[in-house]
């Protein structure tokens, strides 16, 4: 039996921008006073699935017997092992999904709705245990994990309500004797590849619309956080989801092999992926062999813009939420904070004061607001960005250091001023708890810099000028815009980007269309008059 410690990193593409240095006195950050990380017991221990994955309604091991180890990012301790699936194991899951598809697609929308609703109910009933698993393998504070557990369940609720409302159109034909209408049909077997930063929500945001549309799925769980998705599979089983409709496979060393099979198999008709732009391009290239339907949510480099006329308290709260959510490990986190010159100093001071109140520690510790990063490679990247910025003239006004007293994966939430284009943070996504503040003068300047990125996932700005709000919202080249808010995720809202941030939308009424094909049907010879 072989094992591999989870060590993956996130690499994204960001842009360079041009601003002048600024500094205010440094402030220290408060750390958790003691390293307390006692993992609470699950109310239902059977939700923790060790050494098995879910295929065709059964819990199975990898045929090779190989597993990989998963570690708690807070303590570094072993959580357990998950099966190291290879292409042969994954093919069995694809075959199961293909066998289940004809019967499942034939169910009415109302029948599929009831199954999703039952799964939703079970997720709500077990939300505390789901949150415990999220914190255990991802590290985010328990309060945040509880929020994710409910947020994840809400995608099942939303799409349970969409399932019975899949409508086609009746189209007036240009030929008098023809009658034209459309129907929406499930695309077929879907391969879903999910990331580690939201172990529950990224799974349900893909499976929900797929099942609502009548598709069957093979979901590849993230190697860093497989146990949350396996717990969701257990709840799917209890909800009565027919065997083969939902399959959850796991792999770490064999991730590329499994991904290649999902993207090249002629049986899989659709692939949905959330992750880096680089991997997305590879998967897209592989998928070209079978011309699959694709939806990709890829790298982001979100601009966060504060204009002179903004409500500063609202802007600071938005910056805290957008930049430091999940310790900066989200694709829609603010990555470049642009502050107009007239309020730059005051914003920096208020922002630093808020971040000073954070409490860093193990996710189960009472009062902790921010947990660890996912692994040591993430820490190394964050530290390198801070050291590089300091060397080139930036001023750390908050945090800026590793926290070895807590563990190897902890880093102080950090704010830096005086950011310039030569600094690595200006051209690389940090994916960690570091906020670099850039100064700007005019709308034209900041929009030009914000839009010069190759990616365009999310953008945020703060202003009380209604005309400016419309100007900037329309000018930003992103798929999602937050105006006077740092939080934009909602099951009811379409989530996705443009440019090299990918294509397709998740959530909302638009999300189900990613798992459907549109069929046009024309009846000829229909123009005869009523018979006497």
């Amino acid at each position: 039996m072989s094992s591999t410690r989870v060590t993956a990193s996130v690499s994204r593409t960001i842009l360079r921008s041009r601003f002048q240095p600024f500094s205010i006195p440094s402030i220290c950050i408060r750390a958790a006073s003691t390293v307390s990380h006692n993992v609470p017991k699950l109310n239902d221990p059977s939700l923790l699935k060790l050494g098995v994955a879910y295929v065709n309604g059964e819990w199975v091991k990898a045929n090779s017997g190989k597993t990989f180890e998963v570690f708690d990012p807070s303590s570094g301790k072993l959580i357990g092992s998950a099966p190291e699936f290879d292409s042969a194991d994954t093919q069995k899951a694809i075959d199961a999904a293909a066998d289940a598809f004809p019967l499942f697609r034939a169910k009415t929308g109302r029948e599929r709705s009831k199954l999703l609703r039952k799964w939703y109910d079970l997720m709500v009933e077990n939300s505390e245990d789901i949150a415990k698993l999220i914190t255990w393998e991802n590290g985010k504070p328990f309060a945040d994990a509880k929020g994710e557990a409910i947020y994840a369940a809400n995608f099942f609720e939303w799409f349970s309500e969409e399932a019975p409302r899949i409508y086609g159109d009746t189209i007036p034909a240009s030929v008098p004797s023809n009658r034209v209408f459309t129907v929406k049909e499930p695309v077929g077997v879907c391969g879903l590849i999910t990331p580690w930063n939201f172990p529950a929500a990224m799974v349900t945001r893909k499976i929900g619309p797929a099942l609502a549309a009548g598709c069957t799925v093979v979901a590849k769980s993230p190697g860093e956080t497989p146990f949350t998705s396996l717990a969701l599979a257990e709840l799917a089983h209890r909800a009565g989801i027919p065997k083969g409709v939902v399959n959850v496979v796991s792999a770490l060393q064999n991730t590329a092999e499994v991904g290649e099979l999902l993207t090249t198999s002629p049986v899989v008709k659709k692939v949905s992926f959330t992750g880096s732009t680089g991997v997305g391009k590879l998967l897209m290239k592989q998928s070209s062999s079978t011309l699959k339907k694709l939806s990709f949510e890829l790298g982001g480099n979100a601009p966060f813009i504060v204009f002179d006329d903004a409500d500063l308290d609202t802007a600071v709260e938005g910056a805290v939420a957008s930049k430091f959510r999940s310790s900066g490990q989200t694709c829609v986190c603010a990555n470049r904070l642009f502050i107009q010159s007239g309020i730059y100093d005051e914003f920096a001071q208020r922002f630093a004061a808020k971040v000073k109140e954070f409490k860093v520690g193990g996710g189960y510790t009472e009062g902790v607001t921010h947990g660890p990063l996912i692994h040591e490679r993430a820490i190394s990247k964050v530290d390198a960005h801070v050291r590089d910025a300091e060397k080139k003239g930036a001023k750390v006004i908050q945090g800026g250091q590793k926290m070895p007293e807590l563990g190897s994966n902890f880093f102080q939430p950090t704010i830096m001023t005086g950011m310039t284009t030569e600094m690595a943070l200006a051209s690389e996504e940090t994916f960690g708890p570091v906020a670099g503040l850039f100064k700007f003068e005019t709308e034209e300047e900041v929009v030009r810099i914000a839009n010069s990125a190759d990616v365009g996932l999310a953008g945020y700005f703060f202003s009380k000028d209604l005309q400016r709000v419309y100007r900037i919202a329309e000018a930003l080249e992103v798929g999602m815009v937050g105006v006077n808010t740092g939080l934009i995720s909602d099951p009811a809202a379409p989530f996705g980007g443009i440019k090299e941030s990918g294509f397709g939308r998740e959530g909302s009424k638009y999300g189900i269309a990613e798992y459907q094909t549109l069929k046009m049907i024309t009846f000829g010879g229909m123009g005869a008059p009523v018979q006497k």
Side-chain angles (χ1 to χ4, degrees):
M1 180 177 295
S2 67
S3 62
T4 305
R5 181 158 184 164
V6 175
T7 53
S9 64
V10 176
S11 177
R12 315 249 187 173
T13 303
I14 326 187
L15 89 114
R16 296 188 178 272
S17 47
R18 180 167 55 110
F19 296 98
Q20 297 302 314
F22 167 78
S23 63
I24 62 176
S26 295
I27 312 172
C28 295
I29 188 156
R30 177 168 60 104
S33 57
T34 59
V35 182
S36 175
H37 192 67
N38 297 316
V39 178
K41 293 182 179 179
L42 299 179
N43 298 317
D44 182 356
S46 66
L47 289 177
L48 177 59
K49 299 297 183 181
L50 299 175
V52 291
Y54 188 68
V55 175
N56 202 28
E58 298 179 351
W59 293 102
V60 298
K61 298 180 179 180
N63 188 56
S64 66
K66 293 181 179 180
T67 63
F68 62 93
E69 294 178 334
V70 181
F71 292 83
D72 180 342
S74 289
S75 66
K77 295 179 180 178
L78 177 68
I79 298 174
S81 297
E84 185 70 71
F85 267 37
D86 58 20
S87 57
D89 296 311
T90 307
Q91 184 62 53
K92 293 178 182 178
I94 293 173
D95 292 342
D99 290 342
F101 178 61
L103 286 178
F104 191 69
R105 71 169 298 175
K107 289 185 178 294
T108 66
R110 182 61 63 188
E111 289 174 319
R112 296 194 297 271
S113 172
K114 290 177 179 178
L115 288 170
L116 282 170
R117 180 69 196 200
K118 179 61 176 176
W119 199 355
Y120 161 78
D121 289 338
L122 287 171
M123 281 194 67
V124 172
E125 291 172 15
N126 292 275
S127 60
E128 184 173 329
D129 277 349
I130 293 170
K132 289 174 183 176
L133 289 172
I134 292 171
T135 295
W136 199 2
E137 60 182 356
N138 170 276
K140 67 180 61 177
F142 190 48
D144 289 357
K146 287 191 286 187
E148 182 188 340
I150 296 301
Y151 174 59
N154 287 344
F155 283 104
F156 286 157
E157 180 184 41
W158 175 268
F159 286 108
S160 75
E161 296 163 349
E162 290 293 296
R165 297 176 177 84
I166 298 173
Y167 302 118
D169 292 305
T170 300
I171 301 171
S174 58
V175 177
S177 62
N178 285 354
R179 300 294 180 266
V180 181
F181 65 96
T182 63
V183 294
K184 295 177 180 177
E185 299 181 333
V187 66
V189 176
C190 301
L192 313 177
I193 305 174
T194 62
W196 52 261
N197 54 347
F198 288 89
M202 296 301 95
V203 174
T204 61
R205 196 163 74 179
K206 297 180 188 299
I207 292 181
L211 267 59
C215 299
T216 57
V217 305
V218 177
K220 162 64 174 67
S221 63
E224 299 87 348
T225 59
F227 297 125
T228 300
S229 54
L230 293 170
L232 299 186
E234 169 63 25
L235 297 180
H237 190 85
R238 298 180 191 179
I241 304 296
K243 71 175 186 177
V245 171
V246 172
N247 305 274
V248 178
V249 304
S250 61
L252 184 64
Q253 285 186 322
N254 294 336
T255 292
E257 178 182 338
V258 171
E260 183 175 12
L261 177 62
L262 292 175
T263 51
T264 58
S265 168
V267 178
V268 177
K269 303 301 183 183
K270 151 84 182 187
V271 168
S272 176
F273 168 70
T274 298
S276 73
T277 296
V279 173
K281 290 179 178 180
L282 174 62
L283 296 177
M284 187 173 182
K285 183 177 181 179
Q286 292 173 175
S287 297
S288 68
S289 64
T290 52
L291 293 179
K292 296 189 191 306
K293 188 178 180 72
L294 302 173
S295 54
F296 286 170
E297 191 265 286
L298 306 176
N301 185 13
F304 185 99
I305 305 166
V306 184
F307 290 100
D308 285 345
D309 67 318
D311 181 296
L312 274 187
D313 289 336
T314 301
V316 167
E317 290 176 4
V320 167
S322 179
K323 174 65 256 184
F324 291 107
R325 181 188 184 195
S326 296
S327 296
Q329 299 177 111
T330 85
C331 54
V332 293
C333 272
N335 200 62
R336 300 165 291 160
L337 282 73
F338 303 130
I339 316 301
Q340 202 160 15
S341 58
I343 57 168
Y344 187 92
D345 293 16
E346 185 175 359
F347 178 89
Q349 292 169 349
R350 292 193 190 188
F351 192 27
K354 281 290 185 180
V355 174
K356 184 182 179 181
E357 297 173 0
F358 293 173
K359 183 178 180 181
V360 181
Y364 299 117
T365 304
E366 184 71 25
V368 161
T369 59
H370 292 77
L373 300 191
I374 190 65
H375 44 52
E376 292 182 15
R377 290 175 65 181
I379 287 288
S380 296
K381 184 176 183 181
V382 168
D383 188 61
H385 279 190
V386 174
R387 303 286 80 81
D388 172 80
E390 280 188 311
K391 181 180 178 180
K392 296 173 181 175
K395 176 70 173 180
V396 174
I397 66 169
Q398 182 70 56
Q401 300 295 328
K402 298 178 183 179
M403 307 179 75
E405 69 278 14
L406 296 181
S408 61
N409 294 334
F410 290 89
F411 199 92
Q412 295 175 332
T414 299
I415 301 175
M416 296 187 295
T417 57
M419 299 301 297
T420 66
T421 185
E422 294 81 13
M423 298 167 186
L425 187 144
S427 59
E428 301 174 12
E429 187 179 28
T430 307
F431 222 67
V434 178
L437 306 187
F438 300 83
K439 188 184 293 186
F440 74 93
E441 299 293 339
T442 67
E443 288 182 9
E444 186 280 332
E445 176 191 14
V446 75
V447 169
R448 171 176 50 80
I449 295 169
N451 287 344
S452 63
D454 292 331
V455 292
L457 188 57
Y460 310 85
F461 70 92
F462 289 74
S463 172
K464 292 187 289 188
D465 183 325
L466 184 60
Q467 291 182 328
R468 170 179 277 167
V469 163
Y470 272 86
R471 283 196 304 271
I472 304 304
E474 292 172 355
L476 289 176
E477 296 175 356
V478 294
M480 301 173 285
V481 177
V483 182
N484 295 325
T485 180
L487 297 174
I488 56 175
S489 298
D490 184 339
F495 191 101
I498 61 174
K499 302 198 289 191
E500 291 193 11
S501 287
F503 41 81
R505 293 297 180 266
E506 294 187 318
S508 82
K509 68 176 185 178
Y510 302 104
I512 196 170
E514 302 294 336
Y515 297 88
Q516 296 171 319
T517 57
L518 186 68
K519 178 181 285 183
M520 182 276 293
I521 302 173
T522 298
F523 287 174
M526 302 298 289
V530 175
Q531 300 297 302
K532 293 182 180 180

